[in-house]
Amino acid sequence: MAGDNLQVLNALDTVKTSYYHFTAVVIAGMGFFTDAYDLFCISLVTKLLGRIYYHVDGAPKPGTLPPNVSAAVNGVALCGTLAGQLFFGWLGDKMGRKRVYGMTLMLMVLCSVASGLSFGHTPKTVMATLCFFRFWLGFGIGGDYPLSATIMSEYANKKTRGAFIAAVFAMQGFGILSGGVFAIIISSIFKNAYKAPPYQVNALASTVPEADYVWRIILMFGALPAAMTYYWRMKMPETARYTALVAKNAKQAAADMSKVLQVDVQAEPEKIEQLTQNKSSQFGLFSKEFGRRHGLHLLGTTSTWFLLDIAYYSQNLFQKDIFSSVGWIPPAKTMNAVDEVFHIAKAQTILACVSTVPGYWFTVFFIDRMGRFAIQLMGFFFMTVFMFALAIPYHHWTRPENNIKFIAMYGLTFFFANFGPNATTFVVPAEIFPARLRATCHGISAAAGKAGAIIGAFGFLYLAQNQDKSKADAGYPAGIGVKNSLIVLGFVNLGGLLFTFLVPESKGKSLEEMSRENEDENNTEAEEGQNKTLPV
């Protein structure tokens, strides 16, 4: 129980915020910076890939990726991420957080570089090798989710734990922003160095041979920030909670935390022995006891993350199509290949500056004041409202005089996604499950989210197509249109709001209090209703 906790865990819960906490945020956060950059930079270059590898002589529009290729290029990294979240989450509980942490980072570095070196003489071979390396890139990214969240939650004190975990996740915002900025820089350099006419003036000359370097450089840049933090990740000690509660090594846990926190901590091996003998706290993931204690919690974290990512990734990966549909990006035929990359990156950068990045940091500032539940409920509510406000009068927003207003409304849905469930769904699973299952359960929750992302990424490709097949993109069947797609996403957000009521509030509580892993059977029965979301 909380009051009878190990001294090393009490020290972690009550210690003042120190330099080491901020160092841990940066070390873990740079992984998420790379994650976001690598996952979302592909949306900046898919139009360019279509122009380079799928040009059709005499066509009125520039070449585009065929539906199956576009789905694979956009979605394969998400499939890898889902697999990595499950595998590395499980491995982090079996081998320890630190031992697995370096593996994920090196995989990300190697596959970022390899993605840019995708080889072949035909479009098919280039796309096949790109998809292969992006799958394994996603696999490494997937491991970063449960490990970074778990490590930060196990290091932080209970007063500011939410802010520190959210700050790690908020580095995603800077990753998305940096992707846009870097693409603007690279496309500007190539645009000025290699002049090309718009597609409608000279279709063949509009894509200069050097444009093939643009997408490769943009993809490879993601390796740099990850490589820079590898040394520091390897220098981090294993978390005391894993060492003490899972590895059962009280002396090592006390020694590590004495060095990190710069306080004297007693080892207390006899308490570790007592915890080991308490069979009621040794239940497994698929046991009835886990289902009784945490079954609804796991349903809550998986369902909310799943529903959120359907909406979030469909919007984020395909925002270039939404910008084009309202006229914020010029028609493709009026631009050359590199110029189109510039305009797409500029639109993403503006949106990141005004909505994505501020939303993340609003969560960091308010999460330990408002609580996780309130922020998640508020976020889903406003995402639902703004999505329906965009969808129902959609044709009103598509008029040229309303384009800026449409983008403002669209930006608000991103703001409340990030100052809302996109951050809290990451934070909460790292706080409410037992230490020996914490990374596994976070990985399961995150994998459910990526399953939603895959549905969003693949589904929106087809759903958002024009209802008139003659106006749909080449190779695509008729869809339900952007308006109806936005209505569907509005109902998805509403579902997320309802499932939020299954998620407990963890503000101000220790990890052991939330997981109840140190309780005996009598205390478990007595406190069965303690961790409810709603007040009685």
Side-chain angles (χ1 to χ4, degrees):
M1 294 181 296
D4 203 27
N5 221 351
L6 290 167
Q7 190 184 103
V8 66
L9 305 186
N10 287 331
L12 282 166
D13 281 336
T14 57
V15 71
K16 289 183 179 180
T17 301
S18 65
Y19 169 77
Y20 189 79
H21 288 106
F22 290 103
T23 304
V25 168
V26 173
I27 294 170
M30 285 311 292
F32 266 87
F33 177 98
T34 304
D35 295 352
Y37 181 97
D38 287 332
L39 282 179
F40 294 113
C41 71
I42 195 68
S43 68
L44 301 172
V45 299
T46 47
K47 297 275 191 182
L48 178 61
L49 291 171
R51 285 184 183 244
I52 294 172
Y53 295 106
Y54 293 92
H55 170 75
V56 178
D57 288 330
K61 292 181 181 180
T64 58
L65 296 179
N68 59 330
V69 176
S70 183
V73 168
N74 280 302
V76 70
L78 301 177
C79 296
T81 304
L82 187 156
Q85 286 163 336
L86 292 172
F87 176 73
F88 286 114
W90 169 80
L91 202 62
D93 283 335
K94 294 297 179 187
M95 293 178 58
R97 291 45 161 144
K98 179 189 172 181
R99 290 177 67 184
V100 183
Y101 212 24
M103 299 181 201
T104 63
L105 202 66
M106 282 313 300
L107 195 56
M108 288 157 57
V109 170
L110 293 173
C111 292
S112 288
V113 174
S115 294
L117 298 176
S118 297
F119 50 84
H121 298 292
T122 65
K124 187 174 182 179
T125 54
V126 173
M127 293 300 119
T129 52
L130 174 61
C131 288
F132 174 81
F133 289 124
R134 281 192 63 79
F135 175 86
W136 291 107
L137 171 66
F139 193 69
I141 289 172
D144 226 45
Y145 276 73
L147 294 171
S148 290
T150 300
I151 286 170
M152 199 65 245
S153 73
E154 293 182 345
Y155 270 126
N157 63 55
K158 63 183 180 182
K159 185 178 179 182
T160 59
R161 184 180 62 237
F164 278 115
I165 305 173
V168 169
F169 194 66
M171 294 299 286
Q172 272 201 343
F174 289 126
I176 295 169
L177 178 61
S178 298
V181 171
F182 188 69
I184 288 172
I185 293 169
I186 295 299
S187 58
S188 297
I189 292 170
F190 276 79
K191 190 168 64 165
N192 293 323
Y194 306 100
K195 303 291 184 183
Y199 183 86
Q200 62 187 3
V201 174
N202 188 328
L204 204 57
S206 68
T207 305
V208 295
E210 291 79 10
D212 196 50
Y213 293 114
V214 173
W215 69 270
R216 295 176 185 275
I217 293 169
I218 290 171
L219 294 188
M220 290 170 71
F221 180 74
L224 188 61
M228 290 169 61
T229 56
Y230 180 78
Y231 170 78
W232 298 106
R233 278 200 180 189
M234 294 299 92
K235 293 282 287 181
M236 291 178 77
E238 181 59 83
T239 70
R241 284 186 160 90
Y242 182 86
T243 306
L245 298 176
V246 183
K248 310 297 185 187
N249 189 336
K251 290 183 179 179
Q252 187 63 52
D256 287 344
M257 290 307 101
S258 294
K259 190 183 299 182
V260 167
L261 304 177
Q262 297 182 330
V263 295
D264 290 328
V265 180
Q266 293 180 5
E268 301 180 298
E270 67 285 349
K271 280 194 177 180
I272 293 287
E273 187 63 31
Q274 289 175 13
L275 293 175
T276 305
Q277 292 173 357
N278 182 9
K279 299 301 180 185
S280 67
S281 65
Q282 302 302 312
F283 54 85
L285 178 64
F286 299 105
S287 65
K288 288 183 180 179
E289 186 63 21
F290 178 87
R292 190 169 67 84
R293 294 194 190 192
H294 299 293
L296 286 178
H297 297 163
L298 189 59
L299 175 61
T301 58
T302 52
S303 59
T304 51
W305 208 335
F306 172 77
L307 293 167
L308 164 77
D309 274 8
I310 291 177
Y312 189 80
Y313 275 78
S314 62
Q315 287 175 258
N316 221 329
L317 285 173
F318 301 99
Q319 63 185 228
K320 61 185 182 298
D321 300 310
I322 292 173
F323 290 150
S324 297
S325 69
V326 297
W328 221 41
I329 295 176
K333 65 183 180 180
T334 65
M335 299 180 284
N336 63 48
V338 178
D339 200 29
E340 187 172 31
V341 174
F342 175 84
H343 279 90
I344 293 169
K346 185 176 75 171
Q348 177 170 302
T349 303
I350 293 170
L351 187 66
C353 284
V354 301
S355 67
T356 305
V357 172
Y360 280 117
W361 290 96
F362 264 68
T363 301
V364 173
F365 184 76
F366 286 107
I367 192 167
D368 288 314
R369 293 170 172 82
M370 294 174 59
R372 290 70 162 148
F373 175 76
I375 288 177
Q376 184 161 312
L377 201 67
M378 175 195 70
F380 269 127
F381 173 77
F382 282 111
M383 285 174 71
T384 305
V385 169
F386 286 118
M387 200 67 76
F388 283 132
L390 285 172
I392 294 170
Y394 178 71
H395 297 296
H396 165 79
W397 298 114
T398 57
R399 294 173 188 163
E401 66 270 19
N402 295 323
N403 285 350
I404 298 300
K405 295 176 184 175
F406 178 93
I407 299 300
M409 293 278 284
Y410 183 70
L412 283 169
T413 65
F414 271 103
F415 175 81
F416 282 106
N418 295 313
F419 181 32
N422 195 35
T424 54
T425 52
F426 176 81
V427 173
V428 174
E431 299 181 304
I432 63 176
F433 298 108
R436 66 189 179 282
L437 300 172
R438 187 167 290 136
T440 301
C441 290
H442 194 285
I444 292 170
S445 302
K450 282 300 169 285
I454 292 165
I455 291 171
F458 285 93
F460 201 81
L461 265 175
Y462 295 88
L463 282 179
Q465 293 299 318
N466 199 293
Q467 291 171 291
D468 182 352
K469 191 179 187 311
S470 64
K471 295 180 181 179
D473 290 341
Y476 287 87
I480 62 173
V482 175
K483 173 180 177 175
N484 291 329
S485 298
L486 292 173
I487 290 174
V488 170
L489 295 178
F491 280 108
V492 167
N493 291 329
L494 182 60
L497 184 150
L498 297 175
F499 277 102
T500 295
F501 287 94
L502 295 177
V503 180
E505 179 57 75
S506 50
K507 182 183 78 169
K509 296 180 180 179
S510 73
L511 297 182
E512 287 67 46
E513 189 179 354
M514 286 305 303
S515 65
R516 297 183 293 160
E517 60 188 309
N518 295 345
E519 295 175 358
D520 59 32
E521 292 184 38
N522 294 329
N523 285 320
T524 301
E525 295 292 335
E527 298 180 20
E528 184 64 34
Q530 181 177 322
N531 291 331
K532 300 294 184 186
T533 297
L534 297 176
V536 177

